[in-house]
Amino acid sequence: MKRTTPLLTLLTGTGMAAVLFAMSAQAAPRTVDTGAAAPATSPPGAAVVSPAAPAAEPDADPAAEPEATPAAPAPGQPGAAETTPPTTAPPAKQADSNWTGRLDGGATIAITVTDGKAVAYVCDGKKLEVWLNGTAADGRMKLTGKKGEVLTGSFGDGVASGEMVVGQRRWKFTAKQTGKPDPVLYRATAQQRRAGVDGGWIMLPDGSQIGVVTRDGAPVPAPPLDPAFGTTILDGRTVTASPVVADPGSGA
């Protein structure tokens, strides 16, 4: 009986120690590992796959529909741009007429226009004569001569007026429109001019005429011209002339 007592005492102490250990373990706080789990070790030879990069966010919502461009309104509908048709300048109003008159210096002038082409002849019936060529349209005319002579003016309501400039000299002129279709201006033909004879004749409304004939460079008063035949006699020789319509030949 005495031998059993120590054994019981030992067992009792051991049991008490076990109970105390269990109570101590329950009372101790648990430690939680917050770190990421260690990556698994890849087997030898396995390819290492890098994690995919996150996709970039688009600037706009891909689900949003694109903004629609408004269609242009059809011509004639409200809001449609008005299209102005291109404007073209009206054609020049050409003159087809004849004028006869005088310069303030005493010389006589005749102007004839056909299809906008103008011819003028100025002479004093003695030795002065000037041929000019140009245009006449929209109430304005401008003609020039071989030696730099310039005639400018306007016309309308049956009257033409303006100025002729020869060198440093200037003369005003006024001419009235003739009411007849008959030619008011004649000139020696090209054949006559090649023979050394040139000349011009102005037929005035009262039936008279005035002109100058230049023979071998010397101007003389023109003898009367027969318009029906276009001829005259100068020093026993026949001189032929023709009506000036739009081009007086080589004289301008």
Side-chain angles (χ1 to χ4, degrees):
M1 193 66 181
K2 294 181 178 180
R3 292 180 180 180
T4 305
T5 299
L7 180 59
L8 290 175
T9 302
L10 178 61
L11 291 175
T12 300
T14 302
M16 291 295 293
V19 172
L20 292 174
F21 178 78
M23 294 176 64
S24 176
Q26 291 180 356
R30 293 184 180 182
T31 303
V32 180
D33 186 7
T34 58
T41 304
S42 302
V48 178
V49 179
S50 300
E57 291 188 5
D59 293 338
D61 185 358
E65 295 183 0
E67 183 179 354
T69 302
Q77 293 183 353
E82 295 293 335
T83 303
T84 303
T87 58
T88 56
K93 185 178 179 181
Q94 300 175 345
D96 291 286
S97 189
N98 298 316
W99 294 269
T100 59
R102 299 181 70 85
L103 277 69
D104 56 9
T108 303
I109 183 172
I111 305 170
T112 182
V113 180
T114 304
D115 295 334
K117 295 182 179 180
V119 179
Y121 178 61
V122 178
C123 74
D124 62 358
K126 299 175 182 178
K127 60 179 181 179
L128 170 67
E129 64 171 353
V130 179
W131 288 98
L132 305 104
N133 266 357
T135 58
D138 290 333
R140 306 294 299 177
M141 63 176 62
K142 182 176 181 179
L143 302 89
T144 58
K146 273 188 172 182
K147 298 180 180 180
E149 303 94 340
V150 178
L151 184 146
T152 56
S154 60
F155 58 90
D157 297 330
V159 178
S161 60
E163 182 181 61
M164 188 179 78
V165 179
V166 180
Q168 299 298 321
R169 304 187 65 182
R170 297 172 178 268
W171 296 274
K172 300 289 184 179
F173 75 88
T174 302
K176 293 184 178 180
Q177 188 175 17
T178 62
K180 298 180 181 180
D182 300 335
V184 297
L185 188 56
Y186 285 78
R187 187 174 188 180
T189 62
Q191 182 178 1
Q192 293 281 188
R193 295 198 295 272
R194 287 193 295 268
V197 178
D198 196 0
W201 289 261
I202 296 175
M203 304 298 169
L204 299 172
D206 60 2
S208 63
Q209 55 182 269
I210 185 172
V212 172
V213 172
T214 300
R215 181 181 60 188
D216 297 328
V220 296
L225 179 73
D226 184 352
F229 297 96
T231 58
T232 188
I233 302 299
L234 179 64
D235 293 339
R237 297 171 57 182
T238 300
V239 176
T240 305
S242 58
V244 176
V245 178
D247 185 357
S250 61

